[in-house]
């Protein structure tokens, strides 16, 4: 009665109501705070309120004996059941059972018989007074996994699990501490929305050390009470020990067909995820410990014993050792979220344990499922292989941060990257984007594609690249900057994978694609303007196989040393096969003859960083010499034509742009003019001025047949690029290839 009154919040005004209710239930007349029970049933001389009161107390004691619940829980349960002034069937059943189990012989005396008849009558009246009730109590549920032991680390995230609960029922739990007396230390309740669920983040930080006892029961809408279940744990605020959680992280790699470039789903291999970040996190996702997997994909973490943790593998590689890097794979269609693989929440226990994780491809036999968790780790592992090659020749290399964006939504439509419309896999400004459009074009398992884009990153961040980008193919005659950059990307993919057969899958079910041999020396387009020639030369310098003019087996070291040389990075000329080979000969002077033989095999005869003496004009006479010298007070003719871009992207084709080299002896004000001297009328000449590859001037006034710029140039050497915007600005032209204009480039001192 007191508990019911306290629940109403006013003990003074509610006691009378509940005293009367309890008295009526047990057949006691008057005020139960004034009625005293007799000492024992044997002393009962008459059937009165005192005798009836004693029988009520005996019944409650018998209910306690029949139940696994503690007495406080039993009384609380009765109080909860009576809060709606309606005794539930579970309580009535428990009272009836106690009446039967009390151990008194009803026939021993008329007095006892009358006592039982009186209580039975009271219970019968109680039954009849209410409406028909659901008398089936919740059953068949269980509890498990109570945090044990409770320690100074996990005491604020104690949890337990419930299984087989009745949907829609209410649950109630109480936690008692032996150090804090019979009153529940922590209570809670709620509604069952799932048959299996967890009660989490119970805070026992203020409980004293000792035994923790959990009581849990269900009640349905008819106030039928299920069995009260109990579990115990021990709490100690003393020192805690660490345990080791170790394991292996792997991912599925889909094999590739070197004949047609397709993916081979009959060849899915489980490979170690090397160098990736592994974390132990608690139930809230807070990091408890972190490490990186080794070259076998293995990890080891020390965490506090008996703590709830999950192992999470982040799609990133971070090294702060002598060789350093920071590479991550994120989803550009999901707010650039970092991909991660994580296991189930578990207790670290009191002993060391092993937790392995595998990122699955998600291939179901004819399509991918929604997961595709292996993709980010496959991309990372290709980057890992590539970086390994460079660490082998420079153990102290510092790779600048690299962000890789992959999504199953990344497709071949150009547009908003946040929607996945990336056009193609490409590198730009410290990041690259990778296709993932199933059934059209996916690149996560196309290792040559990944390593190729990494090659652009290397040029941009550790060396120098002046490439202007754009579409390209092996047979194209390209701007020399593009030809060298794309050839390098192809070559480094073969070097990184030790496999010169480049593959790229596409199509329905990733069942088609293309391949080509990077080592092929008999290319259809040979020259300083050919990516095929550049890739062949670089790979032949590296590999151990001698063929045709290839007598070199120099490995990666001299190639790397060439790219990072300060005079390569700071050359006055634009990056090209000429600049590369000139510096390479300086790095390994004893191999000059072999290098020249490789160049001549690819019909490259020019020498020096400017390609002086080159005789291969790519069928456009105006492309030679590669650089036309111009001096202050003089002029030189430069031309722009669309011959090799006919029907394609003119932006980066050979002949679209022409180059002059200008030496400025002292800082001065200059006027530079490009005016049409011959060729197609109504031209739109533009020009750039480069200082060590950096664009310092872009003159693009929209004036027919002439372009003029005036300004100051400090002492130094400059490259001036001239082009007709009506040639290079076309993405696709009419296919005639007939447009061609030449311009007099004049430099005067003001």
């Amino acid at each position: 009665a007191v508990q019911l009154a306290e629940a109403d919040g006013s003990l003074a005004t509610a006691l009378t109501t509940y005293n009367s209710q309890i008295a009526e239930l047990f057949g006691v007349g008057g005020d139960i705070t004034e009625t005293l029970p007799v000492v024992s049933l044997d002393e009962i001389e008459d059937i009165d309120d005192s005798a009836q009161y004693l029988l009520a107390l005996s019944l409650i004691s018998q209910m306690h004996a029949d139940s696994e619940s503690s007495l406080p829980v039993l009384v609380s349960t009765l109080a909860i059941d009576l809060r709606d002034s309606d005794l539930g069937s579970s309580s009535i059943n428990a009272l009836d059972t106690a009446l039967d189990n009390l151990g008194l012989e009803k026939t021993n005396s008329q007095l006892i018989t009358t006592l039982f008849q009186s209580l039975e009558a009271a219970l019968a009246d109680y039954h009849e007074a209410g409406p028909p009730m659901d008398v089936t109590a919740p059953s068949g549920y269980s509890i498990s996994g109570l945090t044990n032991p409770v320690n100074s680390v996990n005491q604020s995230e104690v949890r337990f699990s419930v299984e087989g609960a009745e949907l829609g029922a209410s649950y109630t739990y109480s936690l008692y501490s032996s150090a804090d007396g019979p009153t529940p230390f922590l209570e809670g309740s709620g509604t069952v929305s799932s048959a299996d669920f967890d009660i989490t983040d119970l805070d026992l930080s203020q409980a004293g050390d000792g035994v923790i006892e959990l009581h849990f029961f269900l009640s349905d809408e008819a106030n039928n009470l299920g069995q009260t279940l109990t579990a115990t744990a021990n709490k100690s605020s003393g020192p805690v020990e660490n345990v080791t959680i170790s394991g292996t992280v792997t991912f599925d790699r889909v094999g590739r067909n070197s004949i047609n470039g397709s993916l081979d789903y009959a060849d899915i291999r489980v490979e170690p995820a090397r160098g990736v970040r592994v974390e132990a996190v608690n139930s809230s996702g807070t990091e408890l410990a972190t490490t990186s997997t080794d070259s076998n994909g293995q990890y080891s973490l020390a965490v506090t014993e008996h703590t709830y943790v999950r192992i999470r593998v982040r799609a990133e590689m971070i090294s702060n050792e002598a060789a350093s890097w920071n590479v991550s794979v994120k989803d550009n269609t999901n707010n650039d979220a970092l991909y991660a693989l994580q296991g189930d929440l578990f207790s670290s226990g009191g002993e060391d344990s092993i937790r392995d994780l595998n990122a699955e491809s998600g291939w179901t036999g004819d399509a991918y499922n929604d997961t595709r968790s292996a993709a980010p780790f496959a991309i990372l592992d290709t980057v890992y292989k590539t970086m390994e090659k460079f660490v082998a020749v420079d153990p102290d290399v510092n790779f600048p941060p690299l962000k890789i964006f992959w999504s199953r939504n990344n497709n071949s439509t150009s547009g908003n990257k946040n929607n996945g419309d990336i056009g193609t896999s490409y590198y730009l400004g410290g990041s690259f984007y990778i296709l993932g459009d199933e059934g059209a074009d996916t690149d996560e398992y196309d290792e040559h594609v990944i390593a190729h884009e990494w090659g652009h990153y290397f040029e941009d961040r550790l060396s120098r690249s002046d490439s202007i980008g754009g579409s390209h193919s092996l047979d194209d005659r390209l701007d020399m900057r593009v030809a060298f950059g794309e050839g390098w990307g192809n070559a480094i993919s073969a070097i990184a994978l030790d496999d010169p057969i480049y593959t790229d899958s596409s199509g329905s079910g990733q069942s088609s694609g293309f391949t080509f041999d990077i080592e092929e020396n008999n290319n259809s387009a040979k020259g300083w303007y050919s990516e095929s020639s550049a890739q062949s030369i670089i790979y032949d310098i590296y590999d151990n196989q001698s063929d045709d003019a290839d007598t070199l087996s120099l490995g990666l070291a001299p190639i790397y040393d060439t790219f990072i040389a300060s005079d390569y990075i700071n050359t006055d000329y634009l990056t090209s096969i000429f600049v590369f080979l000139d510096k390479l000969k300086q790095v390994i002077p004893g191999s000059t003859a072999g290098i020249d033989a490789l160049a001549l095999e690819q019909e490259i005869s020019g020498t020096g960083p400017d390609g002086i003496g080159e005789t291969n004009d790519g069928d456009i006479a105006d492309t030679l010499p590669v650089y036309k010298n111009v001096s202050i007070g003089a002029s030189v003719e430069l031309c722009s034509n669309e011959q090799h871009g006919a029907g394609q992207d003119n932006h980066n084709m050979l002949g679209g742009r022409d180059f002059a080299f200008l030496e400025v002896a002292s800082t001065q004000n200059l006027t530079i003019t490009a005016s049409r001297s011959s060729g197609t009328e109504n031209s739109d000449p533009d020009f750039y001025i480069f200082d060590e590859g950096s664009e310092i001037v872009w003159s693009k006034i929209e004036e027919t047949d002439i372009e003029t710029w005036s300004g100051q140039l400090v002492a130094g050497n400059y490259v001036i690029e001239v082009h007709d915007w009506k040639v290079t600005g076309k993405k696709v032209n009419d296919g005639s290839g007939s447009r061609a204009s030449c311009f007099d480039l004049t430099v005067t001192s003001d």
Side-chain angles (χ1 to χ4, degrees), residues 212-293:
I212 301 297
E213 185 173 352
L214 165 68
H215 296 266
F216 177 91
F217 66 89
L218 296 179
S219 59
D220 62 19
E221 294 180 355
N223 290 322
N224 297 309
L225 300 183
Q227 181 183 9
T228 297
L229 306 178
T230 63
T232 60
N234 294 310
K235 183 186 178 189
S236 173
S237 57
V240 294
E241 301 293 332
N242 284 341
V243 294
T244 298
I245 302 173
S246 58
T248 304
V249 181
T250 54
F251 69 95
D252 291 350
R253 178 174 291 286
V254 179
R256 52 196 173 88
N257 187 321
S258 61
I259 303 301
N260 68 358
S262 65
L263 295 186
D264 182 2
Y265 291 102
D267 179 26
I268 297 181
R269 305 178 300 276
V270 176
E271 298 188 352
R274 302 175 291 175
V276 296
R277 300 294 285 177
V278 182
E279 300 172 325
V281 299
N282 65 14
S283 58
S284 301
T286 302
E287 179 187 304
L288 304 177
T290 185
T291 187
S292 294
T293 58

Side-chain angles (χ1 to χ4, degrees), residues 300-368:
S300 179
L301 293 165
V303 300
T304 305
E305 62 180 349
H306 302 294
T307 302
Y308 284 102
V309 301
R310 73 171 80 244
I311 300 302
R312 182 168 65 194
V313 185
R314 297 165 62 90
E316 64 180 1
M317 302 183 296
I318 299 175
S319 172
N320 295 313
E321 304 299 325
S324 61
W325 54 79
N326 186 333
V327 185
S328 58
V329 181
K330 300 183 177 184
D331 185 352
N332 52 288
T333 65
N334 184 26
N335 298 315
D336 295 348
L338 180 73
Y339 286 101
L341 173 73
Q342 63 181 24
D344 296 330
L345 195 68
F346 67 99
S347 173
S348 60
E351 298 180 351
D352 295 347
S353 60
I354 296 175
R355 308 290 290 195
D356 296 334
L357 288 90
N358 179 63
E360 298 181 349
S361 70
W363 185 252
T364 64
D366 54 6
Y368 285 116

Side-chain angles (χ1 to χ4, degrees), residues 566-606:
S566 60
D567 49 350
Y568 176 89
I569 295 173
N570 299 312
T571 180
D572 293 328
Y573 298 91
L574 301 177
T575 54
S576 67
I577 191 67
F578 298 120
V579 175
F580 173 76
L581 294 181
D582 180 65
K583 181 57 189 177
L584 182 67
K585 293 174 187 177
Q586 298 173 38
V587 170
I588 44 174
S591 299
T592 297
I595 295 170
D596 286 343
L598 291 176
L600 287 172
E601 183 183 44
Q602 294 301 317
E603 299 180 10
I604 300 173
S605 57

Side-chain angles (χ1 to χ4, degrees), residues 671-728:
T671 295
I672 301 177
T673 302
S675 58
R676 189 180 68 84
S677 57
S678 63
T680 308
E681 297 180 349
N682 298 316
S683 65
D684 180 13
D686 292 338
F687 60 81
Y688 300 89
I689 302 177
F690 297 97
D691 181 8
E692 295 182 358
S694 296
E695 176 192 311
I696 60 172
V697 172
W698 181 10
S699 186
K700 55 174 183 175
I701 300 172
E702 294 185 11
E703 188 171 349
T704 302
D705 292 338
I706 192 169
E707 183 72 33
T708 301
W709 171 85
S710 295
Q712 186 181 83
L713 293 181
V714 300
N717 297 327
Y718 300 90
V719 171
I720 304 174
E721 172 198 315
V722 175
H723 61 94
D724 182 355
W725 177 250
K726 292 185 177 180
V727 170
T728 59

